[in-house]
Coordinates of all heavy atoms in Angstrom, one line a residue:
M13 N 79.4 139.9 71.8 CA 79.3 138.8 72.7 C 79.3 137.6 71.9 O 78.7 137.2 71.0 CB 78.1 139.0 73.5 CG 78.0 138.2 74.6 SD 76.3 138.4 75.6 CE 75.8 136.9 75.7
T14 N 80.2 136.5 72.4 CA 80.4 135.3 71.8 C 79.3 134.4 72.4 O 78.9 134.4 73.6 CB 81.7 134.8 71.9 OG1 82.1 134.8 73.5 CG2 82.8 135.6 71.2
T15 N 78.9 133.3 71.6 CA 78.0 132.3 72.2 C 78.7 131.5 73.1 O 79.9 131.0 73.0 CB 77.7 131.4 71.0 OG1 77.2 132.3 69.8 CG2 76.6 130.5 71.3
P16 N 78.1 131.3 74.3 CA 78.8 130.5 75.4 C 79.1 129.1 74.9 O 78.3 128.6 74.1 CB 77.8 130.6 76.5 CG 76.8 131.6 76.1 CD 76.8 131.7 74.7
D17 N 80.0 128.5 75.5 CA 80.3 127.1 75.0 C 79.5 126.2 75.9 O 80.1 125.8 77.0 CB 81.9 126.8 75.2 CG 82.3 125.4 74.7 OD1 81.3 124.6 74.4 OD2 83.4 125.1 74.7
F18 N 78.3 126.0 75.5 CA 77.3 125.2 76.4 C 77.9 123.9 76.7 O 77.6 123.3 77.8 CB 76.0 125.2 75.7 CG 75.2 126.6 75.9 CD1 74.8 127.2 74.7 CD2 75.0 127.0 77.2 CE1 74.2 128.5 74.8 CE2 74.2 128.3 77.2 CZ 73.8 129.1 76.2
A19 N 78.4 123.1 75.9 CA 78.8 121.8 75.9 C 79.9 121.8 77.2 O 79.8 120.9 78.0 CB 79.5 121.2 74.7
K20 N 80.8 122.7 77.2 CA 81.7 122.8 78.2 C 81.0 123.2 79.6 O 81.4 122.5 80.6 CB 82.9 123.8 77.8 CG 83.9 123.9 78.7 CD 85.0 124.5 78.0 CE 86.1 124.9 79.2 NZ 85.8 126.2 79.8
L21 N 80.1 124.1 79.5 CA 79.5 124.5 80.8 C 78.6 123.4 81.3 O 78.7 123.2 82.5 CB 78.5 125.7 80.4 CG 79.2 127.1 80.1 CD1 78.1 128.0 79.6 CD2 79.8 127.7 81.4
R22 N 78.1 122.6 80.4 CA 77.2 121.5 80.9 C 78.1 120.4 81.5 O 77.8 119.9 82.6 CB 76.5 120.9 79.7 CG 75.1 121.4 79.6 CD 74.2 120.5 78.8 NE 74.8 119.7 77.6 CZ 74.8 120.4 76.5 NH1 74.4 121.5 76.4 NH2 75.4 119.7 75.4
A23 N 79.3 120.1 80.9 CA 80.2 119.1 81.4 C 80.7 119.6 82.6 O 80.8 118.7 83.7 CB 81.2 119.0 80.4
E24 N 81.1 120.8 83.0 CA 81.6 121.3 84.2 C 80.6 121.2 85.2 O 80.7 120.7 86.3 CB 82.1 122.8 84.1 CG 83.4 122.9 83.4 CD 83.8 124.2 83.0 OE1 82.9 125.2 83.4 OE2 84.8 124.5 82.4
R25 N 79.3 121.5 84.9 CA 78.2 121.5 85.9 C 78.0 120.1 86.3 O 77.8 119.8 87.4 CB 77.0 122.2 85.3 CG 75.8 122.1 86.2 CD 74.5 122.2 85.4 NE 74.3 121.1 84.4 CZ 73.3 120.8 83.6 NH1 72.5 121.8 83.5 NH2 73.3 119.8 82.8
D26 N 77.9 119.2 85.2 CA 77.6 117.7 85.6 C 78.7 117.1 86.4 O 78.4 116.4 87.3 CB 77.3 117.0 84.2 CG 76.0 117.5 83.4 OD1 75.3 118.3 84.1 OD2 75.8 117.0 82.3
A27 N 79.9 117.4 86.1 CA 81.0 117.0 86.8 C 80.9 117.3 88.3 O 81.2 116.6 89.3 CB 82.3 117.3 86.1
A28 N 80.5 118.6 88.5 CA 80.5 119.2 89.8 C 79.4 118.4 90.6 O 79.6 118.0 91.8 CB 80.3 120.6 89.8
I29 N 78.1 118.3 89.9 CA 77.1 117.6 90.6 C 77.4 116.2 91.0 O 77.1 115.7 91.9 CB 75.8 117.7 89.8 CG1 75.4 119.3 89.7 CG2 74.7 116.9 90.3 CD1 74.2 119.5 88.7
E30 N 78.0 115.5 90.0 CA 78.4 114.1 90.1 C 79.3 113.9 91.3 O 79.1 113.1 92.1 CB 79.0 113.5 88.8 CG 79.5 112.1 89.0 CD 79.8 111.5 87.6 OE1 79.8 112.1 86.6 OE2 80.4 110.3 87.7
K31 N 80.4 114.7 91.4 CA 81.3 114.6 92.5 C 80.5 114.9 93.7 O 80.7 114.1 94.7 CB 82.3 115.8 92.3 CG 83.5 115.6 93.1 CD 84.6 116.5 92.6 CE 85.7 116.7 93.6 NZ 85.6 118.0 94.4
M32 N 79.6 115.8 93.8 CA 78.9 116.1 95.1 C 77.9 115.0 95.5 O 78.1 114.6 96.5 CB 77.9 117.3 94.7 CG 77.6 118.2 95.9 SD 76.9 119.7 95.3 CE 75.3 119.0 94.7
V33 N 77.4 114.4 94.5 CA 76.4 113.3 94.8 C 77.2 112.0 95.2 O 76.8 111.4 96.2 CB 75.5 113.0 93.4 CG1 74.7 111.8 93.6 CG2 74.5 114.1 93.3
K34 N 78.2 111.7 94.5 CA 79.1 110.5 94.8 C 79.6 110.7 96.2 O 79.8 109.8 96.9 CB 80.1 110.4 93.7 CG 79.5 110.0 92.4 CD 80.0 108.8 91.9 CE 79.0 108.2 90.9 NZ 79.7 107.3 89.8
E35 N 80.0 111.9 96.6 CA 80.7 112.1 97.8 C 79.8 111.7 99.0 O 80.0 111.2 100.0 CB 81.3 113.4 97.9 CG 82.9 113.3 97.9 CD 83.5 114.6 97.5 OE1 83.1 115.7 98.0 OE2 84.5 114.7 96.8
A36 N 78.6 112.3 98.8 CA 77.4 112.2 99.7 C 77.1 110.6 99.9 O 77.0 110.2 101.0 CB 76.2 112.9 99.3
A37 N 76.9 110.1 98.7 CA 76.6 108.6 98.7 C 77.7 107.9 99.4 O 77.4 106.8 100.1 CB 76.5 108.1 97.3
R38 N 78.9 108.1 99.1 CA 80.1 107.5 99.6 C 80.1 107.5 101.2 O 80.3 106.4 101.9 CB 81.5 108.0 99.2 CG 82.6 107.2 99.5 CD 83.8 107.6 98.6 NE 83.5 107.2 97.2 CZ 83.8 107.9 96.2 NH1 84.3 109.1 96.2 NH2 83.7 107.4 94.9
Q39 N 79.7 108.6 101.8 CA 79.6 108.8 103.2 C 78.4 107.9 103.8 O 78.4 107.3 104.8 CB 79.5 110.2 103.6 CG 80.8 110.9 103.3 CD 80.7 112.4 103.9 OE1 79.7 112.9 104.3 NE2 81.8 113.1 103.6
L40 N 77.3 107.9 103.0 CA 76.1 107.2 103.5 C 76.3 105.6 103.3 O 76.0 105.0 104.2 CB 75.0 107.7 102.7 CG 74.4 109.0 103.1 CD1 73.3 109.5 102.1 CD2 73.7 109.1 104.5
W41 N 76.8 105.3 102.2 CA 76.6 103.8 101.8 C 77.9 103.1 101.5 O 77.9 102.0 101.2 CB 75.7 103.6 100.7 CG 74.3 104.2 100.8 CD1 73.4 103.8 101.8 CD2 73.7 105.2 100.1 NE1 72.3 104.6 101.7 CE2 72.4 105.4 100.7 CE3 74.0 106.0 98.9 CZ2 71.5 106.3 100.1 CZ3 73.1 106.8 98.3 CH2 71.9 107.0 99.1
G42 N 79.0 103.9 101.5 CA 80.4 103.4 101.2 C 80.7 103.3 99.8 O 79.8 103.7 98.8
D43 N 81.9 103.1 99.4 CA 82.5 103.3 98.0 C 81.7 102.5 97.0 O 81.5 103.0 95.8 CB 84.0 102.8 98.0 CG 84.8 103.9 98.5 OD1 84.3 104.9 98.8 OD2 86.0 103.5 98.9
E44 N 81.4 101.2 97.3 CA 80.9 100.5 96.1 C 79.5 100.9 95.7 O 79.3 100.9 94.6 CB 80.8 99.1 96.8 CG 81.1 97.9 95.8 CD 81.2 96.5 96.4 OE1 82.1 96.4 97.3 OE2 80.5 95.6 96.1
A45 N 78.7 101.2 96.8 CA 77.4 101.6 96.4 C 77.5 103.0 95.6 O 76.7 103.3 94.7 CB 76.6 101.8 97.7
A46 N 78.4 103.9 96.1 CA 78.6 105.1 95.5 C 78.9 105.1 94.0 O 78.4 105.8 93.2 CB 79.5 105.9 96.3
D47 N 79.7 104.1 93.6 CA 80.1 103.9 92.3 C 79.0 103.5 91.3 O 78.9 103.7 90.2 CB 81.3 103.0 92.2 CG 82.6 103.6 92.6 OD1 82.5 105.0 92.7 OD2 83.5 102.9 92.9
G48 N 78.1 102.7 92.0 CA 76.9 102.1 91.2 C 75.7 102.9 91.2 O 74.7 102.7 90.4
I49 N 75.7 104.1 91.9 CA 74.3 104.8 91.9 C 74.2 105.6 90.6 O 75.0 106.0 90.0 CB 74.3 105.8 93.1 CG1 75.2 107.0 92.9 CG2 74.4 105.1 94.5 CD1 74.9 108.1 93.9
S50 N 72.9 105.7 90.3 CA 72.5 106.6 89.1 C 71.8 107.8 89.8 O 71.3 107.6 90.9 CB 71.8 106.0 88.2 OG 70.5 105.5 88.7
Y51 N 71.9 109.0 89.1 CA 71.3 109.9 89.9 C 70.7 111.0 88.8 O 71.2 111.0 87.6 CB 72.4 110.8 90.6 CG 73.5 111.1 89.8 CD1 73.6 112.3 89.0 CD2 74.6 110.3 89.7 CE1 74.7 112.7 88.2 CE2 75.7 110.5 88.8 CZ 75.7 111.7 88.2 OH 76.8 111.9 87.2
H52 N 69.6 111.7 89.2 CA 69.1 112.7 88.2 C 68.9 113.9 89.0 O 67.9 114.0 89.9 CB 67.7 112.1 87.7 CG 67.9 111.0 86.7 ND1 68.4 111.3 85.4 CD2 67.9 109.7 86.9 CE1 68.5 110.2 84.7 NE2 68.2 109.1 85.6
V53 N 69.7 114.8 88.9 CA 69.5 116.1 89.5 C 69.5 117.4 88.5 O 70.3 117.4 87.7 CB 70.7 116.4 90.5 CG1 70.6 117.5 91.3 CG2 71.1 115.1 91.4
N54 N 68.4 118.0 88.6 CA 68.5 119.1 87.8 C 68.8 120.4 88.5 O 68.6 120.5 89.8 CB 67.0 119.5 87.3 CG 66.5 118.6 86.3 OD1 67.3 118.0 85.7 ND2 65.2 118.4 86.1
H55 N 69.7 121.1 88.0 CA 70.4 122.2 88.7 C 69.6 123.5 88.2 O 69.6 123.8 86.9 CB 71.8 122.4 88.4 CG 72.6 123.5 88.9 ND1 72.8 123.7 90.3 CD2 73.0 124.6 88.2 CE1 73.3 125.0 90.3 NE2 73.5 125.4 89.3
G56 N 69.0 124.3 89.0 CA 68.3 125.4 88.6 C 67.2 125.1 87.5 O 66.6 124.2 87.7
G57 N 67.1 125.9 86.6 CA 66.2 125.6 85.4 C 66.8 124.8 84.4 O 66.3 124.6 83.3
G58 N 68.0 124.2 84.6 CA 68.7 123.4 83.4 C 68.3 121.9 83.6 O 67.6 121.5 84.6
T59 N 68.6 121.2 82.5 CA 68.4 119.8 82.5 C 69.7 119.1 82.0 O 70.6 119.8 81.7 CB 67.3 119.6 81.4 OG1 67.8 119.9 80.1 CG2 66.0 120.3 81.7
W60 N 69.6 117.9 81.7 CA 70.7 117.1 81.3 C 71.0 117.5 79.9 O 72.1 117.2 79.4 CB 70.7 115.7 81.6 CG 70.7 115.3 83.0 CD1 69.6 114.8 83.7 CD2 71.7 115.6 83.8 NE1 70.0 114.7 85.0 CE2 71.3 115.0 85.1 CE3 73.1 115.8 83.7 CZ2 72.2 115.2 86.3 CZ3 73.9 116.0 84.8 CH2 73.4 115.7 86.1
V61 N 70.0 118.0 79.2 CA 70.2 118.3 77.8 C 70.6 119.8 77.6 O 71.4 120.1 76.7 CB 68.9 118.1 77.0 CG1 69.1 118.4 75.5 CG2 68.5 116.6 77.2
C62 N 70.2 120.6 78.4 CA 70.2 122.2 78.2 C 71.1 122.7 79.5 O 70.6 122.5 80.6 CB 68.9 122.8 78.0 SG 68.2 122.3 76.6
Y63 N 72.0 123.6 79.3 CA 72.6 124.3 80.3 C 71.6 125.6 80.6 O 71.1 126.2 79.6 CB 74.0 124.8 79.9 CG 74.6 125.6 81.0 CD1 75.3 124.9 82.0 CD2 74.6 126.9 81.0 CE1 76.1 125.6 83.0 CE2 75.2 127.5 82.0 CZ 75.9 127.0 83.0 OH 76.6 127.6 84.1
C64 N 71.5 125.9 81.9 CA 70.8 127.2 82.3 C 71.2 127.7 83.4 O 71.4 127.2 84.4 CB 69.3 126.7 82.4 SG 68.2 128.0 83.2
A65 N 71.6 129.0 83.4 CA 72.0 129.7 84.6 C 71.2 131.0 84.8 O 71.7 131.9 85.3 CB 73.5 130.0 84.4
C66 N 69.9 130.8 84.4 CA 69.1 132.1 84.4 C 69.0 132.6 85.9 O 69.0 133.8 86.1 CB 67.7 131.7 83.9 SG 67.6 131.5 82.2
A67 N 69.0 131.7 86.7 CA 68.9 131.9 88.2 C 70.0 132.9 88.7 O 69.8 133.8 89.5 CB 68.8 130.8 89.1
D68 N 71.1 132.7 87.9 CA 72.4 133.4 88.3 C 72.6 134.5 87.3 O 73.6 135.2 87.2 CB 73.7 132.6 88.3 CG 73.5 131.5 89.3 OD1 72.9 131.7 90.4 OD2 73.8 130.3 88.9
G69 N 71.6 134.9 86.4 CA 71.8 135.8 85.3 C 72.7 135.4 84.3 O 73.2 136.2 83.5
G70 N 72.9 134.0 84.2 CA 73.8 133.4 83.2 C 73.1 133.1 81.8 O 72.1 133.4 81.8
P71 N 74.0 132.4 81.1 CA 73.5 132.0 79.8 C 72.5 130.9 79.8 O 72.3 130.2 80.8 CB 74.6 131.6 79.0 CG 75.7 131.2 80.0 CD 75.3 132.1 81.2
C72 N 71.6 130.7 79.0 CA 70.5 129.7 78.9 C 70.5 129.0 77.5 O 70.5 129.7 76.5 CB 69.2 130.4 79.2 SG 67.7 129.2 79.3
E73 N 70.5 127.7 77.5 CA 70.6 127.0 76.3 C 69.2 126.6 75.8 O 69.1 126.2 74.7 CB 71.5 125.7 76.5 CG 72.0 125.2 75.2 CD 72.8 124.1 75.5 OE1 73.1 123.5 76.7 OE2 73.6 123.6 74.5
H74 N 68.2 126.8 76.7 CA 66.8 126.4 76.2 C 66.4 127.1 74.9 O 66.7 128.3 74.9 CB 65.8 126.4 77.3 CG 66.1 125.6 78.5 ND1 66.1 124.2 78.5 CD2 66.3 126.0 79.8 CE1 66.2 123.8 79.7 NE2 66.3 124.7 80.5
E75 N 65.6 126.4 74.1 CA 65.2 127.1 72.9 C 63.6 126.9 73.0 O 63.0 126.0 72.6 CB 65.7 126.5 71.7 CG 67.2 126.7 71.4 CD 67.7 126.0 70.2 OE1 66.9 125.3 69.5 OE2 68.9 126.0 70.3
F76 N 62.9 128.0 73.7 CA 61.5 127.8 73.8 C 60.8 128.4 72.6 O 61.0 129.4 72.2 CB 61.0 128.7 75.0 CG 61.5 128.2 76.4 CD1 62.6 128.8 77.0 CD2 60.8 127.0 76.9 CE1 62.9 128.2 78.3 CE2 61.4 126.4 78.1 CZ 62.4 127.0 78.8
S77 N 59.9 127.5 72.1 CA 59.0 127.9 70.9 C 57.9 126.7 70.9 O 58.1 125.7 71.7 CB 59.8 128.0 69.6 OG 60.4 126.7 69.4
G78 N 57.0 127.0 70.1 CA 56.0 125.9 70.0 C 55.0 126.1 71.1 O 55.1 127.0 72.1
W79 N 54.1 125.2 71.2 CA 53.0 125.3 72.3 C 52.6 123.9 72.5 O 52.4 123.1 71.5 CB 51.8 126.2 71.8 CG 50.8 126.4 72.8 CD1 49.6 125.8 73.0 CD2 50.9 127.4 73.8 NE1 49.0 126.3 74.1 CE2 49.7 127.3 74.6 CE3 51.9 128.3 74.2 CZ2 49.5 128.1 75.8 CZ3 51.7 129.1 75.4 CH2 50.5 129.0 76.1
R80 N 52.2 123.5 73.7 CA 51.6 122.2 74.1 C 50.5 122.6 75.1 O 50.6 123.4 76.0 CB 52.5 121.2 74.5 CG 53.1 121.6 75.9 CD 54.3 120.6 76.2 NE 55.0 120.9 77.4 CZ 56.1 120.4 77.7 NH1 56.7 119.6 77.1 NH2 56.7 120.8 78.8
D81 N 49.4 121.8 75.1 CA 48.5 121.9 76.1 C 48.8 121.1 77.4 O 49.4 120.0 77.3 CB 47.1 121.4 75.6 CG 46.6 122.3 74.4 OD1 46.8 123.6 74.4 OD2 46.0 121.8 73.5
F82 N 48.4 121.6 78.5 CA 48.5 120.9 79.6 C 47.6 119.7 79.6 O 46.5 119.7 79.0 CB 48.2 121.7 80.9 CG 49.3 122.7 81.2 CD1 48.8 124.0 81.5 CD2 50.6 122.5 81.0 CE1 49.7 125.1 81.9 CE2 51.5 123.6 81.4 CZ 51.0 124.8 81.8
E83 N 48.2 118.6 80.4 CA 47.3 117.3 80.4 C 46.0 117.5 80.9 O 45.0 116.8 80.6 CB 48.1 116.2 81.0 CG 49.2 115.6 80.2 CD 50.0 114.6 80.9 OE1 49.6 114.1 82.0 OE2 51.2 114.4 80.6
D84 N 45.9 118.4 82.0 CA 44.7 118.6 82.6 C 43.6 119.5 81.8 O 42.6 119.8 82.2 CB 44.7 119.1 84.0 CG 45.5 120.4 84.0 OD1 45.8 121.0 83.0 OD2 46.1 120.8 85.0
G85 N 44.1 119.9 80.7 CA 43.5 120.8 79.8 C 43.2 122.2 80.3 O 42.5 123.0 79.6
L86 N 43.8 122.6 81.4 CA 43.8 124.1 81.8 C 44.9 124.8 81.3 O 45.8 125.2 82.0 CB 43.9 124.0 83.4 CG 42.7 123.2 84.0 CD1 42.9 123.1 85.5 CD2 41.2 123.9 83.9
G87 N 44.8 125.2 79.9 CA 45.8 126.0 79.4 C 47.0 125.2 78.8 O 46.9 124.1 78.5
G88 N 48.1 125.9 78.7 CA 49.2 125.3 78.0 C 50.3 126.1 78.2 O 50.4 127.1 79.0
E89 N 51.4 125.8 77.5 CA 52.7 126.6 77.6 C 53.6 126.3 76.5 O 53.5 125.4 75.7 CB 53.5 125.9 78.9 CG 53.9 124.6 78.7 CD 54.6 124.0 80.1 OE1 54.9 124.8 80.9 OE2 54.8 122.9 80.1
T90 N 54.6 127.1 76.3 CA 55.6 126.9 75.3 C 56.6 126.1 76.0 O 56.8 126.0 77.2 CB 56.2 128.3 74.8 OG1 57.2 128.1 73.8 CG2 56.8 129.1 76.0
F91 N 57.4 125.4 75.1 CA 58.4 124.4 75.7 C 59.7 124.3 74.9 O 59.7 124.7 73.8 CB 57.8 122.9 75.8 CG 57.4 122.4 74.5 CD1 58.3 121.6 73.8 CD2 56.1 122.7 73.9 CE1 57.9 120.9 72.7 CE2 55.9 122.1 72.7 CZ 56.7 121.3 72.1
C92 N 60.8 123.9 75.6 CA 62.0 123.9 74.9 C 62.1 122.8 73.8 O 61.7 121.6 74.0 CB 63.1 123.5 76.0 SG 64.7 123.3 75.3
Q93 N 62.7 123.1 72.7 CA 62.6 122.3 71.6 C 63.8 121.3 71.7 O 63.8 120.2 71.0 CB 62.9 123.1 70.2 CG 61.8 124.0 69.8 CD 60.5 123.3 69.7 OE1 60.4 122.3 68.9 NE2 59.5 123.6 70.4
R94 N 64.8 121.5 72.7 CA 65.8 120.6 72.8 C 65.5 119.6 73.8 O 65.9 118.4 73.6 CB 67.1 121.4 73.2 CG 67.6 122.4 72.2 CD 68.6 123.4 72.7 NE 69.6 122.7 73.6 CZ 70.6 122.1 73.1 NH1 70.9 121.9 71.8 NH2 71.4 121.5 74.0
C95 N 65.0 119.9 75.0 CA 64.9 119.0 76.1 C 63.5 118.6 76.4 O 63.2 117.8 77.3 CB 65.7 119.4 77.3 SG 65.1 121.0 78.2
G96 N 62.5 119.5 76.0 CA 61.2 119.4 76.3 C 60.8 120.0 77.6 O 59.6 119.9 78.1
M97 N 61.7 120.7 78.4 CA 61.2 121.4 79.5 C 60.2 122.4 79.2 O 60.3 123.2 78.2 CB 62.5 122.0 80.2 CG 62.0 122.9 81.5 SD 63.5 123.5 82.3 CE 63.5 122.7 83.8
G98 N 59.1 122.5 80.0 CA 58.1 123.6 79.8 C 58.6 124.8 80.4 O 59.3 125.0 81.3
A99 N 58.0 125.8 79.7 CA 58.2 127.3 80.2 C 57.9 127.5 81.6 O 58.6 128.3 82.4 CB 57.7 128.4 79.4
M100 N 56.8 126.8 82.1 CA 56.4 126.9 83.5 C 57.4 126.5 84.5 O 57.8 127.1 85.4 CB 55.1 126.2 83.7 CG 53.9 126.7 82.9 SD 53.5 128.4 83.4 CE 52.3 128.0 84.8
S101 N 58.0 125.3 84.3 CA 58.9 124.7 85.3 C 60.2 125.5 85.1 O 61.0 125.7 86.1 CB 59.1 123.1 85.0 OG 59.2 122.8 83.8
H102 N 60.5 126.0 83.9 CA 61.7 126.8 83.7 C 61.6 128.0 84.6 O 62.6 128.4 85.3 CB 61.9 127.2 82.4 CG 63.1 128.1 82.0 ND1 63.0 129.4 81.7 CD2 64.4 127.8 82.2 CE1 64.1 130.0 81.5 NE2 65.1 129.0 81.8
S103 N 60.5 128.8 84.5 CA 60.4 130.0 85.4 C 60.3 129.7 86.9 O 60.7 130.4 87.6 CB 59.3 130.8 84.8 OG 58.1 130.2 84.7
M104 N 59.6 128.6 87.2 CA 59.6 128.2 88.6 C 61.0 128.0 89.2 O 61.1 128.3 90.6 CB 58.9 126.8 88.7 CG 57.5 126.8 89.3 SD 56.5 125.4 88.9 CE 57.8 124.2 89.5
H105 N 61.9 127.7 88.4 CA 63.3 127.4 88.9 C 64.2 128.7 88.8 O 65.2 128.7 89.3 CB 63.9 126.3 88.2 CG 63.5 124.8 88.6 ND1 62.6 124.1 87.8 CD2 63.7 124.2 89.6 CE1 62.4 123.0 88.4 NE2 63.1 123.0 89.5
T106 N 63.7 129.5 87.9 CA 64.5 130.7 87.7 C 64.0 131.9 88.2 O 64.7 133.0 88.3 CB 64.9 130.8 86.2 OG1 63.7 130.8 85.4 CG2 65.7 129.6 85.8
C107 N 62.8 132.1 88.5 CA 62.3 133.4 89.0 C 62.1 133.1 90.6 O 61.2 132.5 91.0 CB 60.9 133.7 88.3 SG 61.0 133.9 86.6
W108 N 62.8 133.9 91.4 CA 62.7 133.8 92.9 C 62.0 134.9 93.4 O 61.5 134.7 94.6 CB 64.1 133.7 93.5 CG 64.9 132.6 92.8 CD1 65.9 132.6 91.9 CD2 64.7 131.2 93.0 NE1 66.4 131.4 91.5 CE2 65.7 130.5 92.3 CE3 63.9 130.5 93.9 CZ2 65.9 129.1 92.3 CZ3 63.9 129.1 93.9 CH2 65.1 128.4 93.2
E109 N 61.5 135.9 92.6 CA 60.7 136.9 93.3 C 59.3 136.5 93.5 O 58.8 135.9 92.6 CB 60.7 138.2 92.5 CG 62.0 139.0 92.7 CD 63.0 138.8 91.5 OE1 62.6 138.0 90.7 OE2 64.1 139.2 91.5
Ligands
ZN212 ZN1 67.2 129.3 81.5
ZN213 ZN1 66.0 122.8 77.1

């Protein structure tokens, strides 16, 4: 099995999301506003730094290791060394059962 080309997968995903968001914005606010909007949409368990298709059984770019405590002191979690996403929010987005 070859390593997936995450950079390409991310670029394709981001382009698809951007197109979708801009099209929606264009219908709501018109061309000018649509070109100026900024958006932050996480797709599934992915982030702008890491590609993740765990929800579809696809490849995942997150590199979970290390440990950090929750701010409220009630436990902790391992987190991604690349983007900082916590394992908790990752599984919230990718485990549907
Ligand atoms: Zn994942
Ligand atoms: Zn990550």
Side-chain angles (χ1 to χ4, degrees):
M13 199 177 120
T14 53
T15 309
D17 188 349
F18 283 119
K20 184 162 167 274
L21 289 171
R22 271 202 313 278
E24 285 173 2
R25 177 202 64 184
D26 292 352
I29 293 175
E30 177 169 356
K31 191 160 165 268
M32 211 169 69
V33 171
K34 292 236 157 147
E35 255 161 40
R38 192 161 291 141
Q39 289 185 0
L40 285 172
W41 303 302
D43 282 353
E44 219 169 296
D47 287 339
I49 70 164
S50 63
Y51 53 89
H52 288 280
V53 186
N54 284 340
H55 175 72
T59 64
W60 292 112
V61 181
C62 296
Y63 184 84
C64 169
C66 289
D68 307 316
C72 182
E73 199 177 10
H74 293 302
E75 288 172 12
F76 290 105
S77 65
W79 188 261
R80 67 183 174 197
D81 293 325
F82 289 139
E83 276 172 27
D84 58 13
L86 300 171
E89 65 182 351
T90 184
F91 61 99
C92 175
Q93 298 300 305
R94 291 168 45 82
C95 70
M97 175 180 249
M100 293 294 275
S101 42
H102 178 249
S103 53
M104 250 163 51
H105 284 104
T106 53
C107 299
W108 300 106
E109 281 97 2

